[in-house]
Amino acid sequence: MASSRPTSSWVRSHLANPTLRAALRSPAHRALSGSLLLLDYTSRRSGRRCVFPVQYAVCGEALVVVAGQHRAKTWWRHFDDHPQQVIAHLRGRATTVTVRRLIAGTDERTQAAASYTKRFPHTEVPPDSPVLLLVPHNREP
């Protein structure tokens, strides 16, 4: 491998993510759709399209995504507290959602993190972890 990234990062980027992308776009998506979706957005810096799997939990009519191992990942930095529209491939369908990063210390972030840990009880959501709220188009949280 020519990359200086750790092996686990290379495996995730070059093997796991492409495999999950293909599965989530196929009729086999049902096996994974209860906890994974594809987040599809355009990078603000490069203008390139980015599509990758993320784990989600339901919070009311919205979806919550937590950036795990956020210090080692950069994708979540494309989102801030200003809403932006992206595509979420969920349960075999592409859906326009409004996504924004929740502000640490707010009740909204606390509630979203609680929904996430309720769905994934073995996953801790530290106070500094980025938490994203995805609201289906034309709905408000």
Side-chain angles (χ1 to χ4, degrees):
M1 275 181 269
S3 176
S4 61
R5 293 190 301 177
T7 302
S8 63
S9 178
W10 187 91
V11 169
R12 183 175 47 247
S13 295
H14 293 85
L15 297 176
N17 285 353
T19 301
L20 287 170
R21 274 194 302 266
L24 287 166
R25 287 182 172 144
S26 77
H29 72 84
R30 287 177 183 87
L32 301 169
S33 287
S35 60
L36 292 174
L37 62 82
L38 289 177
L39 192 60
D40 184 338
Y41 67 95
T42 301
S43 169
R44 288 188 293 183
R45 266 191 230 166
S46 69
R48 291 176 39 195
R49 183 175 177 212
C50 302
V51 181
F52 59 92
V54 293
Q55 189 169 272
Y56 74 91
V58 175
C59 181
E61 293 195 18
L63 304 173
V64 177
V65 173
V66 175
Q69 302 173 352
H70 65 281
R71 289 181 187 87
K73 298 177 182 174
T74 61
W75 67 266
W76 60 269
R77 294 182 180 123
H78 291 276
F79 305 102
D80 56 25
D81 61 339
H82 295 88
Q84 65 185 54
Q85 288 188 356
V86 301
I87 303 295
H89 299 268
L90 177 65
R91 297 182 186 104
R93 293 189 174 150
T95 304
T96 301
V97 297
T98 299
V99 61
R100 64 188 167 86
R101 190 168 43 180
L102 301 178
I103 299 170
T106 62
D107 289 341
E108 186 178 35
R109 187 197 180 282
T110 300
Q111 182 181 3
S115 294
Y116 195 86
T117 55
K118 182 178 180 182
R119 171 68 177 90
F120 304 105
H122 299 292
T123 303
E124 182 183 348
V125 181
D128 64 335
S129 288
V131 176
L132 304 178
L133 190 69
L134 287 70
V135 179
H137 193 57
N138 296 328
R139 291 189 186 167
E140 305 224 357

